[in-house]
Amino acid sequence: MTPLLTTRDLRKNYGGLRAVDGVDFTLLPGEIHAIIGPNGAGKTTFVSLVCGRVMPSSGTIIFDGDDITDLPAYRRVRQGIAYTFQITSVFAHLSAYDNVALPMQRTLTDGRSRAKLHAGVMNALERTGLAGRANSLAGTLSYGHQRLLEVAMGLALKPRLLILDEPTQGLSDGEIAGFMDLVREIAQDATVLLIEHNMQVVMGLADRITVMNAGRILAEGTPADIRANDEVQRAYLGTEPA
């Protein structure tokens, strides 16, 4: 299968700090791929390089066969990469509906799209469980609902690759279960790259897992592979190998 995303020797340096240090990474179309690792491992910096929020010090990023290494973030959005932030970035003084409508407008190409816009916005809100809060100001939503609103905003872009950075932070147990169902549904039409600390979510969702530590890839494989990896157990899962 031809990869949807490939990085080659990808690096990001901040002075003497190597936040991302020579990462070779492959993402297959249609998979749910999780990136895990301790705080400071380079996970968010890595996905920021992929979506164009940060430019690399060196290395190459290939998306669907095209070199996007030097493309700005908005050009990558047009190519089908959507990213939800680790810290919520909704427009607090706009309604949930309007927050979704803003990115949705980018996907519409004709002037007779009012009905299509409304249908698309409500579909994204319904999928994330927020249809009943469409008219609520985003700033009045709970933190967990703001996280879900960001996912709805990402879905509005109709991405081929949806990057989710700590999406379950602030969600209740019931909301997490619903979120996992949503990600499985999204993966029927798009590829999902997920940064997540909740290991039950990771092990329950991911087809493959990449473990990062100190800016490098420590291990990669299926959930079963990662559970059985001695280095991962020591560096991240906090257990000693049997």
Side-chain angles (χ1 to χ4, degrees), residues 223-242:
D225 294 333
I226 297 305
R227 279 196 193 98
N229 187 293
D230 291 351
E231 278 191 284
V232 174
Q233 289 183 42
R234 292 191 188 95
Y236 182 56
L237 298 181
T239 59
E240 286 296 322

Side-chain angles (χ1 to χ4, degrees), residues 121-141:
V121 171
M122 292 310 300
N123 177 261
L125 290 172
E126 285 166 5
R127 291 175 75 184
T128 51
L130 296 175
R133 294 175 171 83
N135 296 319
S136 300
L137 290 179
T140 67
L141 299 176

Side-chain angles (χ1 to χ4, degrees), residues 166-218:
E166 299 289 354
T168 67
Q169 186 178 353
L171 299 186
S172 68
D173 289 344
E175 289 169 336
I176 288 174
F179 169 80
M180 292 175 69
D181 290 339
L182 173 62
V183 171
R184 294 187 187 104
E185 178 196 329
I186 292 169
Q188 295 176 21
D189 303 308
T191 302
V192 178
L193 182 58
L194 173 77
I195 295 178
E196 182 56 64
H197 279 298
N198 185 322
M199 293 307 297
Q200 285 187 318
V201 172
V202 170
M203 295 298 179
L205 277 179
D207 300 306
R208 287 194 299 149
I209 300 170
T210 296
V211 185
M212 291 188 69
N213 192 31
R216 299 181 178 181
I217 291 179
L218 176 66

Side-chain angles (χ1 to χ4, degrees), residues 105-121:
Q105 288 172 342
R106 296 187 181 187
T107 69
L108 302 178
T109 57
D110 57 61
R112 52 184 178 80
S113 303
R114 192 172 214 177
K116 190 183 295 184
L117 174 66
H118 177 73
V121 171

Side-chain angles (χ1 to χ4, degrees), residues 130-177:
L130 296 175
R133 294 175 171 83
N135 296 319
S136 300
L137 290 179
T140 67
L141 299 176
S142 69
Y143 184 77
H145 285 152
Q146 289 185 32
R147 302 293 291 166
L148 291 171
L149 179 57
E150 275 208 323
V151 176
M153 293 164 69
L155 291 176
L157 294 166
K158 298 181 180 178
R160 288 188 289 163
L161 170 58
L162 180 61
I163 302 173
L164 303 171
D165 196 347
E166 299 289 354
T168 67
Q169 186 178 353
L171 299 186
S172 68
D173 289 344
E175 289 169 336
I176 288 174

Side-chain angles (χ1 to χ4, degrees), residues 24-141:
D24 295 326
F25 177 82
T26 298
L27 182 64
L28 300 176
E31 74 173 334
I32 302 172
H33 195 124
I35 300 178
I36 66 172
N39 291 332
K43 306 181 298 295
T44 293
T45 302
F46 174 71
V47 296
S48 295
L49 291 169
V50 170
C51 71
R53 293 182 62 235
V54 174
M55 290 293 112
S57 301
S58 61
T60 305
I61 305 169
I62 305 295
F63 181 71
D64 198 21
D66 295 327
D67 187 335
I68 64 168
T69 310
D70 299 321
L71 286 186
Y74 76 90
R75 292 275 302 278
R76 300 188 199 198
V77 169
R78 291 176 182 172
Q79 293 214 359
I81 299 175
Y83 175 65
T84 69
F85 293 85
Q86 184 177 14
I87 300 172
T88 55
S89 60
V90 299
F91 297 100
H93 300 295
L94 295 180
S95 68
Y97 183 99
D98 288 341
N99 267 271
V100 178
L102 284 172
M104 178 73 70
Q105 288 172 342
R106 296 187 181 187
T107 69
L108 302 178
T109 57
D110 57 61
R112 52 184 178 80
S113 303
R114 192 172 214 177
K116 190 183 295 184
L117 174 66
H118 177 73
V121 171
M122 292 310 300
N123 177 261
L125 290 172
E126 285 166 5
R127 291 175 75 184
T128 51
L130 296 175
R133 294 175 171 83
N135 296 319
S136 300
L137 290 179
T140 67
L141 299 176

